[in-house]
C-alpha cells in the first residue's frame, strides 16, 4: 500500500434515510469507485487511503467492477486498524440493467455481497430505469438488448432484499420526477435515495424540489464533472467563475465544493 498521507481526519455530516431498517444515517460525502481507466490495484489503494483519513461512504456498482477491490480494501482497513469493523462504513452498490428482472434482483445482490465480502449493504440502488437482456454487463446497453422495465415487480424484489436483511436501504439512480412518481404510486417501501448527475453547472432544481417534497435524498455523482473520464467534462473544474469564487476563499474548486457540500 502507498504511504498514507498525514492529513487531518475528516469529520463528515450525515443525513437520515427515510426508509431504512434501523434508521440508518448516510454520510453526505462519499467516494465513488467508477474509474477510467480502471486499475484494480490503484483503486484499492485509493480506497484504503480514503478510509485512513476519514471517508466512510463508498459507492460501488457491478458495472464499475469495483466491488472486489472495495471488499479487499475494507478487509485490509480492518486488519490495519483504520476501522474496528465493517459497521463503521456506509456501502452502496447498484443493480445493473441486465439483472433488472424480478427473478434476478436477489441473485444479483447476493453476488455483489460475495464480491464485497460483506453480509449486507447499507444502500442498494437500481442503476438505471431500464432493463436489458440478461447476460454480459456493459455500458452503453446496445439498443437491440434494451427492454422496458417492469417497475412494479423489480421494485417488489428490491423491497424483498431489504426485508431479508441484505441491504439496510433501497433506492434508485438516474430516475426522473415522472419515473419516481410511478415508483411511489405502488411502493410499499419508498426509495430512500435517487442518485443522479449534479454539478454546479447542472443543478437539477426541479428534481431537487420534487425529491425534497417526497422525503427522498438526492445524491450527486460527478459533482466536479468527472474530468478526465470518457463520460466526463472539463467544464466544471476549468470554469473561470468557479475558480474565482474558490480563490476568494483560498481554496481549489474541488476543496470549495467539498466544503459547500458538507454545509448543504
Amino acid at each position: 500500500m502507498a504511504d498514507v498521507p498525514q492529513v487531518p481526519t475528516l469529520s463528515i455530516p450525515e443525513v437520515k434515510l427515510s426508509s431504512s431498517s434501523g434508521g440508518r444515517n448516510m454520510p453526505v460525502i462519499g467516494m465513488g469507485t467508477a474509474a477510467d481507466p480502471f486499475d484494480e490495484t490503484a483503486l484499492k489503494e485509493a480506497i484504503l487511503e480514503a478510509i485512513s483519513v476519514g471517508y466512510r461512504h463508498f459507492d460501488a456498482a457491478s458495472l464499475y467492477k469495483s466491488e472486489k477491490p472495495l471488499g479487499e480494501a475494507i478487509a485490509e482497513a480492518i486488519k490495519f486498524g483504520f476501522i474496528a469493523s465493517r459497521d463503521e462504513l456506509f456501502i452502496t452498490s447498484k443493480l445493473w440493467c441486465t439483472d433488472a428482472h424480478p427473478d434476478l434482483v436477489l441473485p444479483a445482490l447476493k453476488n455483489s455481497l460475495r464480491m464485497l465480502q460483506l453480509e449486507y449493504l447499507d444502500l442498494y440502488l437500481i442503476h438505471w430505469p431500464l432493463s436489458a437482456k440478461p447476460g454480459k454487463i456493459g455500458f452503453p446497453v446496445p439498443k437491440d438488448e434494451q427492454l422496458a422495465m417492469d417497475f412494479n415487480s423489480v421494485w417488489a424484489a428490491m423491497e424483498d432484499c431489504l426485508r431479508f436483511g441484505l441491504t439496510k436501504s433501497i433506492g434508485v439512480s438516474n430516475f426522473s420526477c415522472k419515473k419516481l412518481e410511478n415508483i411511489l404510486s405502488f411502493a410499499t417501501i419508498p426509495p430512500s435515495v435517487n442518485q443522479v448527475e449534479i454539478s454546479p453547472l447542472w443543478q437539477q432544481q426541479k428534481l431537487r424540489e420534487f425529491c425534497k417534497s417526497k422525503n427522498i435524498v438526492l445524491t450527486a455523482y460527478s459533482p466536479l464533472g468527472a474530468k478526465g473520464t470518457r463520460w466526463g467534462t472539463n467544464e466544471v473544474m476549468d470554469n473561470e467563475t468557479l475558480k474565482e469564487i474558490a480563490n476568494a476563499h483560498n481554496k481549489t474548486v474541488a476543496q470549495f465544493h467539498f466544503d459547500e457540500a458538507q454545509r448543504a
Side-chain angles (χ1 to χ4, degrees):
M1 188 189 79
D3 291 338
V4 177
Q6 298 301 308
V7 297
T9 300
L10 300 173
S11 178
I12 298 174
E14 297 182 342
V15 61
K16 187 173 182 178
L17 300 183
S18 61
S19 302
S20 63
S21 60
R24 189 71 167 109
N25 291 341
M26 180 177 72
V28 299
I29 301 291
M31 177 179 171
T33 60
D36 182 38
F38 178 73
D39 182 324
E40 187 170 316
T41 300
L43 178 58
K44 176 181 169 182
E45 291 186 353
I47 294 168
L48 269 172
E49 294 198 1
I51 294 173
S52 76
V53 299
Y55 275 83
R56 294 296 180 263
H57 181 180
F58 294 89
D59 181 274
S62 55
L63 175 68
Y64 307 157
K65 301 179 181 178
S66 61
E67 293 169 329
K68 180 175 178 286
L70 174 55
E72 292 173 351
I74 293 170
E76 290 192 18
I78 295 171
K79 178 181 177 182
F80 295 148
F82 295 162
I83 52 175
S85 74
R86 172 264 179 272
D87 294 341
E88 294 183 26
L89 303 177
F90 188 101
I91 307 299
T92 299
S93 197
K94 306 182 189 74
L95 176 78
W96 186 239
C97 304
T98 49
D99 292 316
H101 303 274
D103 59 328
L104 298 181
V105 174
L106 186 58
L109 175 51
K110 288 182 176 179
N111 186 62
S112 289
L113 292 173
R114 180 179 63 80
M115 297 295 288
L116 288 160
Q117 305 178 53
L118 300 178
E119 295 182 356
Y120 69 91
L121 293 178
D122 296 283
L123 178 63
Y124 195 43
L125 305 176
I126 297 176
H127 205 151
W128 284 91
L130 175 75
S131 294
K133 293 180 180 178
K136 185 178 179 181
I137 293 176
F139 183 82
V141 178
K143 285 189 176 181
D144 62 347
E145 295 182 11
Q146 296 179 10
L147 301 169
M149 182 182 290
D150 180 350
F151 289 102
N152 201 319
S153 297
V154 170
W155 188 252
M158 293 286 287
E159 292 180 346
D160 284 342
C161 292
L162 191 151
R163 293 189 185 100
F164 295 155
L166 299 178
T167 182
K168 300 294 185 181
S169 308
I170 51 176
V172 297
S173 181
N174 299 299
F175 271 54
S176 64
C177 296
K178 185 176 181 180
K179 287 183 170 61
L180 283 171
E181 283 182 326
N182 181 33
I183 291 283
L184 291 169
S185 71
F186 56 74
T188 302
I189 304 171
S192 294
V193 168
N194 182 23
Q195 183 184 120
V196 299
E197 184 175 1
I198 303 177
S199 75
L201 304 185
W202 190 18
Q203 298 185 17
Q204 300 261 39
Q205 190 63 35
K206 179 182 177 181
L207 185 59
R208 288 168 65 185
E209 292 173 358
F210 178 86
C211 288
K212 184 177 181 180
S213 72
K214 302 299 182 182
N215 205 21
I216 297 171
V217 175
L218 191 65
T219 61
Y221 65 78
S222 301
L224 298 176
K227 182 177 179 178
T229 65
R230 288 170 293 170
W231 61 84
T233 176
N234 298 343
E235 294 179 3
V236 176
M237 295 294 285
D238 295 343
N239 184 276
E240 291 302 322
T241 300
L242 293 176
K243 286 182 179 179
E244 289 177 8
I245 295 171
N247 288 338
H249 292 81
N250 295 315
K251 304 279 187 178
T252 65
V253 171
Q255 288 170 336
F256 182 75
H257 194 63
F258 182 93
D259 290 346
E260 289 300 300
Q262 292 190 86
R263 286 193 285 266

mmCIF file of all heavy atoms in Angstrom, residues 95-110 124 126 130-134 147-161 163-164 166 186:
data_model
loop_
_atom_site.group_PDB
_atom_site.id
_atom_site.type_symbol
_atom_site.label_atom_id
_atom_site.label_comp_id
_atom_site.label_asym_id
_atom_site.label_seq_id
_atom_site.Cartn_x
_atom_site.Cartn_y
_atom_site.Cartn_z
ATOM 1 N N LEU A 95 -27.807 -2.251 -8.886
ATOM 2 C CA LEU A 95 -28.345 -3.315 -9.743
ATOM 3 C C LEU A 95 -28.229 -2.883 -11.197
ATOM 4 O O LEU A 95 -28.801 -1.872 -11.603
ATOM 5 C CB LEU A 95 -29.815 -3.548 -9.385
ATOM 6 C CG LEU A 95 -30.589 -4.550 -10.241
ATOM 7 C CD1 LEU A 95 -30.237 -5.982 -9.824
ATOM 8 C CD2 LEU A 95 -32.094 -4.298 -10.112
ATOM 9 N N TRP A 96 -27.494 -3.668 -12.004
ATOM 10 C CA TRP A 96 -27.329 -3.294 -13.408
ATOM 11 C C TRP A 96 -28.535 -3.747 -14.241
ATOM 12 O O TRP A 96 -29.301 -4.617 -13.846
ATOM 13 C CB TRP A 96 -26.023 -3.847 -13.972
ATOM 14 C CG TRP A 96 -25.775 -3.335 -15.375
ATOM 15 C CD1 TRP A 96 -25.613 -4.063 -16.507
ATOM 16 C CD2 TRP A 96 -25.685 -1.962 -15.777
ATOM 17 N NE1 TRP A 96 -25.428 -3.245 -17.587
ATOM 18 C CE2 TRP A 96 -25.477 -1.936 -17.165
ATOM 19 C CE3 TRP A 96 -25.777 -0.740 -15.094
ATOM 20 C CZ2 TRP A 96 -25.351 -0.745 -17.900
ATOM 21 C CZ3 TRP A 96 -25.655 0.443 -15.824
ATOM 22 C CH2 TRP A 96 -25.437 0.420 -17.205
ATOM 23 N N CYS A 97 -28.668 -3.142 -15.413
ATOM 24 C CA CYS A 97 -29.833 -3.351 -16.287
ATOM 25 C C CYS A 97 -30.068 -4.820 -16.649
ATOM 26 O O CYS A 97 -31.222 -5.267 -16.734
ATOM 27 C CB CYS A 97 -29.674 -2.534 -17.566
ATOM 28 S SG CYS A 97 -29.415 -0.762 -17.303
ATOM 29 N N THR A 98 -28.986 -5.562 -16.841
ATOM 30 C CA THR A 98 -29.133 -6.969 -17.224
ATOM 31 C C THR A 98 -29.723 -7.818 -16.112
ATOM 32 O O THR A 98 -30.237 -8.907 -16.361
ATOM 33 C CB THR A 98 -27.772 -7.544 -17.646
ATOM 34 O OG1 THR A 98 -26.797 -7.216 -16.638
ATOM 35 C CG2 THR A 98 -27.324 -6.984 -18.987
ATOM 36 N N ASP A 99 -29.649 -7.310 -14.893
ATOM 37 C CA ASP A 99 -30.216 -8.020 -13.737
ATOM 38 C C ASP A 99 -31.512 -7.377 -13.246
ATOM 39 O O ASP A 99 -32.055 -7.800 -12.223
ATOM 40 C CB ASP A 99 -29.206 -8.061 -12.591
ATOM 41 C CG ASP A 99 -28.006 -8.945 -12.901
ATOM 42 O OD1 ASP A 99 -28.220 -10.053 -13.438
ATOM 43 O OD2 ASP A 99 -26.877 -8.515 -12.622
ATOM 44 N N ALA A 100 -31.986 -6.353 -13.957
ATOM 45 C CA ALA A 100 -33.204 -5.652 -13.540
ATOM 46 C C ALA A 100 -34.443 -6.405 -14.008
ATOM 47 O O ALA A 100 -35.253 -5.919 -14.799
ATOM 48 C CB ALA A 100 -33.196 -4.223 -14.074
ATOM 49 N N HIS A 101 -34.563 -7.621 -13.489
ATOM 50 C CA HIS A 101 -35.697 -8.512 -13.744
ATOM 51 C C HIS A 101 -36.091 -9.100 -12.388
ATOM 52 O O HIS A 101 -35.213 -9.372 -11.557
ATOM 53 C CB HIS A 101 -35.321 -9.624 -14.723
ATOM 54 C CG HIS A 101 -34.801 -9.105 -16.040
ATOM 55 N ND1 HIS A 101 -35.625 -8.774 -17.080
ATOM 56 C CD2 HIS A 101 -33.533 -8.850 -16.456
ATOM 57 C CE1 HIS A 101 -34.887 -8.341 -18.101
ATOM 58 N NE2 HIS A 101 -33.616 -8.387 -17.746
ATOM 59 N N PRO A 102 -37.373 -9.307 -12.141
ATOM 60 C CA PRO A 102 -37.819 -9.732 -10.806
ATOM 61 C C PRO A 102 -37.078 -10.923 -10.231
ATOM 62 O O PRO A 102 -36.756 -10.946 -9.041
ATOM 63 C CB PRO A 102 -39.305 -10.046 -11.022
ATOM 64 C CG PRO A 102 -39.706 -9.224 -12.195
ATOM 65 C CD PRO A 102 -38.489 -9.148 -13.083
ATOM 66 N N ASP A 103 -36.751 -11.900 -11.073
ATOM 67 C CA ASP A 103 -36.122 -13.117 -10.577
ATOM 68 C C ASP A 103 -34.600 -13.000 -10.467
ATOM 69 O O ASP A 103 -33.945 -13.907 -9.950
ATOM 70 C CB ASP A 103 -36.476 -14.305 -11.477
ATOM 71 C CG ASP A 103 -36.036 -14.103 -12.922
ATOM 72 O OD1 ASP A 103 -36.037 -12.936 -13.402
ATOM 73 O OD2 ASP A 103 -35.707 -15.096 -13.589
ATOM 74 N N LEU A 104 -34.031 -11.880 -10.933
ATOM 75 C CA LEU A 104 -32.575 -11.734 -10.917
ATOM 76 C C LEU A 104 -32.071 -10.722 -9.899
ATOM 77 O O LEU A 104 -30.872 -10.636 -9.650
ATOM 78 C CB LEU A 104 -32.072 -11.331 -12.321
ATOM 79 C CG LEU A 104 -32.328 -12.337 -13.443
ATOM 80 C CD1 LEU A 104 -31.753 -11.815 -14.756
ATOM 81 C CD2 LEU A 104 -31.728 -13.698 -13.107
ATOM 82 N N VAL A 105 -32.983 -9.949 -9.306
ATOM 83 C CA VAL A 105 -32.568 -8.906 -8.367
ATOM 84 C C VAL A 105 -31.856 -9.501 -7.155
ATOM 85 O O VAL A 105 -30.739 -9.087 -6.803
ATOM 86 C CB VAL A 105 -33.778 -8.066 -7.912
ATOM 87 C CG1 VAL A 105 -33.361 -7.081 -6.819
ATOM 88 C CG2 VAL A 105 -34.387 -7.319 -9.092
ATOM 89 N N LEU A 106 -32.472 -10.453 -6.505
ATOM 90 C CA LEU A 106 -31.880 -11.051 -5.306
ATOM 91 C C LEU A 106 -30.554 -11.760 -5.615
ATOM 92 O O LEU A 106 -29.564 -11.550 -4.894
ATOM 93 C CB LEU A 106 -32.867 -12.018 -4.652
ATOM 94 C CG LEU A 106 -32.452 -12.627 -3.314
ATOM 95 C CD1 LEU A 106 -32.178 -11.546 -2.274
ATOM 96 C CD2 LEU A 106 -33.542 -13.583 -2.808
ATOM 97 N N PRO A 107 -30.476 -12.592 -6.676
ATOM 98 C CA PRO A 107 -29.180 -13.199 -7.007
ATOM 99 C C PRO A 107 -28.102 -12.160 -7.315
ATOM 100 O O PRO A 107 -26.931 -12.357 -6.964
ATOM 101 C CB PRO A 107 -29.492 -14.050 -8.237
ATOM 102 C CG PRO A 107 -30.953 -14.352 -8.142
ATOM 103 C CD PRO A 107 -31.557 -13.134 -7.527
ATOM 104 N N ALA A 108 -28.485 -11.057 -7.949
ATOM 105 C CA ALA A 108 -27.506 -10.011 -8.263
ATOM 106 C C ALA A 108 -26.957 -9.383 -6.994
ATOM 107 O O ALA A 108 -25.744 -9.144 -6.869
ATOM 108 C CB ALA A 108 -28.139 -8.949 -9.153
ATOM 109 N N LEU A 109 -27.835 -9.116 -6.043
ATOM 110 C CA LEU A 109 -27.380 -8.543 -4.772
ATOM 111 C C LEU A 109 -26.481 -9.517 -4.025
ATOM 112 O O LEU A 109 -25.437 -9.135 -3.478
ATOM 113 C CB LEU A 109 -28.574 -8.149 -3.910
ATOM 114 C CG LEU A 109 -28.254 -7.643 -2.490
ATOM 115 C CD1 LEU A 109 -27.206 -6.541 -2.501
ATOM 116 C CD2 LEU A 109 -29.523 -7.181 -1.792
ATOM 117 N N LYS A 110 -26.865 -10.775 -4.011
ATOM 118 C CA LYS A 110 -26.031 -11.776 -3.340
ATOM 119 C C LYS A 110 -24.654 -11.864 -3.990
ATOM 120 O O LYS A 110 -23.642 -12.042 -3.297
ATOM 121 C CB LYS A 110 -26.726 -13.136 -3.358
ATOM 122 C CG LYS A 110 -27.927 -13.225 -2.415
ATOM 123 C CD LYS A 110 -28.552 -14.608 -2.450
ATOM 124 C CE LYS A 110 -29.685 -14.737 -1.438
ATOM 125 N NZ LYS A 110 -30.324 -16.079 -1.483
ATOM 126 N N TYR A 124 -28.836 -0.129 -1.629
ATOM 127 C CA TYR A 124 -28.824 -0.815 -2.925
ATOM 128 C C TYR A 124 -29.725 -0.042 -3.871
ATOM 129 O O TYR A 124 -30.892 0.238 -3.555
ATOM 130 C CB TYR A 124 -29.334 -2.254 -2.765
ATOM 131 C CG TYR A 124 -29.030 -3.158 -3.942
ATOM 132 C CD1 TYR A 124 -27.791 -3.151 -4.560
ATOM 133 C CD2 TYR A 124 -29.998 -4.064 -4.415
ATOM 134 C CE1 TYR A 124 -27.505 -4.005 -5.619
ATOM 135 C CE2 TYR A 124 -29.715 -4.917 -5.463
ATOM 136 C CZ TYR A 124 -28.466 -4.885 -6.067
ATOM 137 O OH TYR A 124 -28.190 -5.733 -7.117
ATOM 138 N N ILE A 126 -31.278 0.759 -7.911
ATOM 139 C CA ILE A 126 -31.494 0.411 -9.319
ATOM 140 C C ILE A 126 -30.664 1.406 -10.125
ATOM 141 O O ILE A 126 -30.903 2.611 -10.061
ATOM 142 C CB ILE A 126 -32.979 0.501 -9.705
ATOM 143 C CG1 ILE A 126 -33.812 -0.503 -8.915
ATOM 144 C CG2 ILE A 126 -33.139 0.270 -11.204
ATOM 145 C CD1 ILE A 126 -35.313 -0.389 -9.188
ATOM 146 N N LEU A 130 -34.088 1.097 -16.620
ATOM 147 C CA LEU A 130 -34.068 0.338 -17.872
ATOM 148 C C LEU A 130 -33.659 -1.092 -17.577
ATOM 149 O O LEU A 130 -32.773 -1.329 -16.759
ATOM 150 C CB LEU A 130 -33.054 0.985 -18.836
ATOM 151 C CG LEU A 130 -32.791 0.282 -20.166
ATOM 152 C CD1 LEU A 130 -33.984 0.506 -21.107
ATOM 153 C CD2 LEU A 130 -31.512 0.825 -20.801
ATOM 154 N N SER A 131 -34.302 -2.032 -18.240
ATOM 155 C CA SER A 131 -33.858 -3.424 -18.173
ATOM 156 C C SER A 131 -33.169 -3.780 -19.487
ATOM 157 O O SER A 131 -33.281 -3.068 -20.489
ATOM 158 C CB SER A 131 -35.052 -4.357 -17.936
ATOM 159 O OG SER A 131 -35.628 -4.140 -16.673
ATOM 160 N N ALA A 132 -32.436 -4.878 -19.462
ATOM 161 C CA ALA A 132 -31.739 -5.348 -20.652
ATOM 162 C C ALA A 132 -31.739 -6.864 -20.650
ATOM 163 O O ALA A 132 -31.979 -7.499 -19.618
ATOM 164 C CB ALA A 132 -30.310 -4.810 -20.688
ATOM 165 N N LYS A 133 -31.471 -7.428 -21.799
ATOM 166 C CA LYS A 133 -31.392 -8.881 -21.888
ATOM 167 C C LYS A 133 -30.330 -9.386 -20.917
ATOM 168 O O LYS A 133 -29.218 -8.840 -20.871
ATOM 169 C CB LYS A 133 -31.042 -9.309 -23.317
ATOM 170 C CG LYS A 133 -32.131 -9.023 -24.336
ATOM 171 C CD LYS A 133 -31.707 -9.474 -25.727
ATOM 172 C CE LYS A 133 -32.795 -9.187 -26.758
ATOM 173 N NZ LYS A 133 -32.382 -9.579 -28.124
ATOM 174 N N PRO A 134 -30.649 -10.399 -20.116
ATOM 175 C CA PRO A 134 -29.662 -10.935 -19.172
ATOM 176 C C PRO A 134 -28.398 -11.391 -19.892
ATOM 177 O O PRO A 134 -28.457 -11.895 -21.011
ATOM 178 C CB PRO A 134 -30.398 -12.119 -18.531
ATOM 179 C CG PRO A 134 -31.845 -11.779 -18.677
ATOM 180 C CD PRO A 134 -31.950 -11.073 -20.007
ATOM 181 N N LEU A 147 -34.740 -3.288 -22.814
ATOM 182 C CA LEU A 147 -36.106 -3.734 -22.559
ATOM 183 C C LEU A 147 -36.778 -2.764 -21.587
ATOM 184 O O LEU A 147 -36.123 -2.159 -20.745
ATOM 185 C CB LEU A 147 -36.094 -5.138 -21.928
ATOM 186 C CG LEU A 147 -35.439 -6.266 -22.723
ATOM 187 C CD1 LEU A 147 -35.283 -7.495 -21.844
ATOM 188 C CD2 LEU A 147 -36.265 -6.594 -23.964
ATOM 189 N N ALA A 148 -38.084 -2.629 -21.737
ATOM 190 C CA ALA A 148 -38.835 -1.813 -20.778
ATOM 191 C C ALA A 148 -38.815 -2.507 -19.418
ATOM 192 O O ALA A 148 -39.004 -3.717 -19.323
ATOM 193 C CB ALA A 148 -40.267 -1.624 -21.260
ATOM 194 N N MET A 149 -38.585 -1.753 -18.372
ATOM 195 C CA MET A 149 -38.539 -2.334 -17.039
ATOM 196 C C MET A 149 -39.944 -2.569 -16.498
ATOM 197 O O MET A 149 -40.827 -1.725 -16.642
ATOM 198 C CB MET A 149 -37.764 -1.430 -16.074
ATOM 199 C CG MET A 149 -37.635 -2.014 -14.668
ATOM 200 S SD MET A 149 -36.765 -0.937 -13.503
ATOM 201 C CE MET A 149 -35.093 -1.030 -14.133
ATOM 202 N N ASP A 150 -40.128 -3.716 -15.859
ATOM 203 C CA ASP A 150 -41.349 -3.990 -15.096
ATOM 204 C C ASP A 150 -41.125 -3.380 -13.712
ATOM 205 O O ASP A 150 -40.702 -4.053 -12.780
ATOM 206 C CB ASP A 150 -41.578 -5.500 -15.009
ATOM 207 C CG ASP A 150 -42.831 -5.873 -14.242
ATOM 208 O OD1 ASP A 150 -43.431 -4.969 -13.606
ATOM 209 O OD2 ASP A 150 -43.208 -7.057 -14.249
ATOM 210 N N PHE A 151 -41.381 -2.077 -13.591
ATOM 211 C CA PHE A 151 -41.043 -1.347 -12.379
ATOM 212 C C PHE A 151 -41.685 -1.950 -11.135
ATOM 213 O O PHE A 151 -41.050 -2.055 -10.080
ATOM 214 C CB PHE A 151 -41.449 0.124 -12.510
ATOM 215 C CG PHE A 151 -40.599 0.907 -13.459
ATOM 216 C CD1 PHE A 151 -41.047 1.196 -14.738
ATOM 217 C CD2 PHE A 151 -39.339 1.350 -13.089
ATOM 218 C CE1 PHE A 151 -40.264 1.928 -15.622
ATOM 219 C CE2 PHE A 151 -38.540 2.073 -13.962
ATOM 220 C CZ PHE A 151 -39.008 2.362 -15.241
ATOM 221 N N ASN A 152 -42.934 -2.350 -11.265
ATOM 222 C CA ASN A 152 -43.653 -2.867 -10.102
ATOM 223 C C ASN A 152 -42.978 -4.117 -9.547
ATOM 224 O O ASN A 152 -42.700 -4.212 -8.346
ATOM 225 C CB ASN A 152 -45.105 -3.164 -10.484
ATOM 226 C CG ASN A 152 -46.017 -3.211 -9.278
ATOM 227 O OD1 ASN A 152 -45.655 -3.741 -8.245
ATOM 228 N ND2 ASN A 152 -47.218 -2.666 -9.416
ATOM 229 N N SER A 153 -42.690 -5.060 -10.419
ATOM 230 C CA SER A 153 -42.108 -6.333 -9.978
ATOM 231 C C SER A 153 -40.649 -6.188 -9.550
ATOM 232 O O SER A 153 -40.208 -6.817 -8.582
ATOM 233 C CB SER A 153 -42.224 -7.381 -11.095
ATOM 234 O OG SER A 153 -43.580 -7.654 -11.388
ATOM 235 N N VAL A 154 -39.896 -5.368 -10.277
ATOM 236 C CA VAL A 154 -38.492 -5.169 -9.915
ATOM 237 C C VAL A 154 -38.394 -4.458 -8.564
ATOM 238 O O VAL A 154 -37.581 -4.832 -7.706
ATOM 239 C CB VAL A 154 -37.742 -4.374 -11.008
ATOM 240 C CG1 VAL A 154 -36.347 -3.957 -10.521
ATOM 241 C CG2 VAL A 154 -37.620 -5.217 -12.278
ATOM 242 N N TRP A 155 -39.249 -3.456 -8.351
ATOM 243 C CA TRP A 155 -39.200 -2.768 -7.064
ATOM 244 C C TRP A 155 -39.638 -3.686 -5.927
ATOM 245 O O TRP A 155 -39.090 -3.621 -4.822
ATOM 246 C CB TRP A 155 -40.041 -1.500 -7.080
ATOM 247 C CG TRP A 155 -39.833 -0.704 -5.832
ATOM 248 C CD1 TRP A 155 -40.688 -0.535 -4.786
ATOM 249 C CD2 TRP A 155 -38.636 -0.004 -5.467
ATOM 250 N NE1 TRP A 155 -40.113 0.222 -3.797
ATOM 251 C CE2 TRP A 155 -38.846 0.565 -4.180
ATOM 252 C CE3 TRP A 155 -37.407 0.200 -6.100
ATOM 253 C CZ2 TRP A 155 -37.877 1.320 -3.537
ATOM 254 C CZ3 TRP A 155 -36.435 0.951 -5.445
ATOM 255 C CH2 TRP A 155 -36.679 1.493 -4.176
ATOM 256 N N ALA A 156 -40.619 -4.547 -6.188
ATOM 257 C CA ALA A 156 -41.043 -5.508 -5.158
ATOM 258 C C ALA A 156 -39.868 -6.406 -4.765
ATOM 259 O O ALA A 156 -39.691 -6.735 -3.582
ATOM 260 C CB ALA A 156 -42.212 -6.349 -5.671
ATOM 261 N N ALA A 157 -39.052 -6.779 -5.744
ATOM 262 C CA ALA A 157 -37.873 -7.601 -5.453
ATOM 263 C C ALA A 157 -36.843 -6.805 -4.649
ATOM 264 O O ALA A 157 -36.164 -7.355 -3.772
ATOM 265 C CB ALA A 157 -37.256 -8.113 -6.754
ATOM 266 N N MET A 158 -36.714 -5.516 -4.945
ATOM 267 C CA MET A 158 -35.816 -4.662 -4.157
ATOM 268 C C MET A 158 -36.294 -4.592 -2.709
ATOM 269 O O MET A 158 -35.487 -4.656 -1.771
ATOM 270 C CB MET A 158 -35.769 -3.260 -4.769
ATOM 271 C CG MET A 158 -35.112 -3.175 -6.137
ATOM 272 S SD MET A 158 -33.308 -3.343 -6.102
ATOM 273 C CE MET A 158 -32.831 -1.759 -5.399
ATOM 274 N N GLU A 159 -37.601 -4.472 -2.517
ATOM 275 C CA GLU A 159 -38.155 -4.448 -1.164
ATOM 276 C C GLU A 159 -37.869 -5.756 -0.433
ATOM 277 O O GLU A 159 -37.575 -5.754 0.768
ATOM 278 C CB GLU A 159 -39.654 -4.182 -1.228
ATOM 279 C CG GLU A 159 -40.003 -2.780 -1.698
ATOM 280 C CD GLU A 159 -41.515 -2.532 -1.756
ATOM 281 O OE1 GLU A 159 -42.285 -3.507 -1.688
ATOM 282 O OE2 GLU A 159 -41.923 -1.356 -1.868
ATOM 283 N N ASP A 160 -37.917 -6.870 -1.146
ATOM 284 C CA ASP A 160 -37.585 -8.157 -0.533
ATOM 285 C C ASP A 160 -36.135 -8.180 -0.057
ATOM 286 O O ASP A 160 -35.834 -8.738 1.013
ATOM 287 C CB ASP A 160 -37.811 -9.295 -1.535
ATOM 288 C CG ASP A 160 -39.281 -9.639 -1.722
ATOM 289 O OD1 ASP A 160 -40.093 -9.264 -0.852
ATOM 290 O OD2 ASP A 160 -39.618 -10.287 -2.734
ATOM 291 N N CYS A 161 -35.240 -7.577 -0.835
ATOM 292 C CA CYS A 161 -33.828 -7.518 -0.435
ATOM 293 C C CYS A 161 -33.674 -6.825 0.916
ATOM 294 O O CYS A 161 -32.871 -7.240 1.755
ATOM 295 C CB CYS A 161 -33.006 -6.778 -1.493
ATOM 296 S SG CYS A 161 -32.846 -7.650 -3.070
ATOM 297 N N ARG A 163 -36.152 -6.542 3.233
ATOM 298 C CA ARG A 163 -36.825 -7.373 4.247
ATOM 299 C C ARG A 163 -35.959 -8.552 4.674
ATOM 300 O O ARG A 163 -35.995 -8.979 5.828
ATOM 301 C CB ARG A 163 -38.157 -7.876 3.701
ATOM 302 C CG ARG A 163 -39.193 -6.780 3.485
ATOM 303 C CD ARG A 163 -40.554 -7.376 3.163
ATOM 304 N NE ARG A 163 -41.526 -6.347 2.829
ATOM 305 C CZ ARG A 163 -41.897 -6.019 1.601
ATOM 306 N NH1 ARG A 163 -41.362 -6.657 0.558
ATOM 307 N NH2 ARG A 163 -42.787 -5.078 1.394
ATOM 308 N N PHE A 164 -35.166 -9.089 3.735
ATOM 309 C CA PHE A 164 -34.300 -10.228 4.036
ATOM 310 C C PHE A 164 -33.028 -9.802 4.774
ATOM 311 O O PHE A 164 -32.212 -10.651 5.146
ATOM 312 C CB PHE A 164 -33.918 -10.970 2.756
ATOM 313 C CG PHE A 164 -35.077 -11.617 2.049
ATOM 314 C CD1 PHE A 164 -35.015 -11.861 0.678
ATOM 315 C CD2 PHE A 164 -36.226 -11.985 2.730
ATOM 316 C CE1 PHE A 164 -36.083 -12.465 0.020
ATOM 317 C CE2 PHE A 164 -37.290 -12.585 2.088
ATOM 318 C CZ PHE A 164 -37.224 -12.823 0.727
ATOM 319 N N LEU A 166 -30.515 -8.043 3.554
ATOM 320 C CA LEU A 166 -29.329 -7.995 2.702
ATOM 321 C C LEU A 166 -28.914 -6.569 2.365
ATOM 322 O O LEU A 166 -27.813 -6.342 1.880
ATOM 323 C CB LEU A 166 -29.576 -8.790 1.422
ATOM 324 C CG LEU A 166 -29.866 -10.281 1.642
ATOM 325 C CD1 LEU A 166 -30.146 -10.974 0.315
ATOM 326 C CD2 LEU A 166 -28.704 -10.956 2.362
ATOM 327 N N PHE A 186 -46.946 2.800 -6.139
ATOM 328 C CA PHE A 186 -47.232 1.422 -5.714
ATOM 329 C C PHE A 186 -46.256 0.885 -4.670
ATOM 330 O O PHE A 186 -46.463 -0.191 -4.111
ATOM 331 C CB PHE A 186 -47.239 0.472 -6.920
ATOM 332 C CG PHE A 186 -45.978 0.491 -7.745
ATOM 333 C CD1 PHE A 186 -44.816 -0.106 -7.285
ATOM 334 C CD2 PHE A 186 -45.959 1.102 -8.990
ATOM 335 C CE1 PHE A 186 -43.651 -0.087 -8.042
ATOM 336 C CE2 PHE A 186 -44.801 1.124 -9.759
ATOM 337 C CZ PHE A 186 -43.648 0.525 -9.285
#
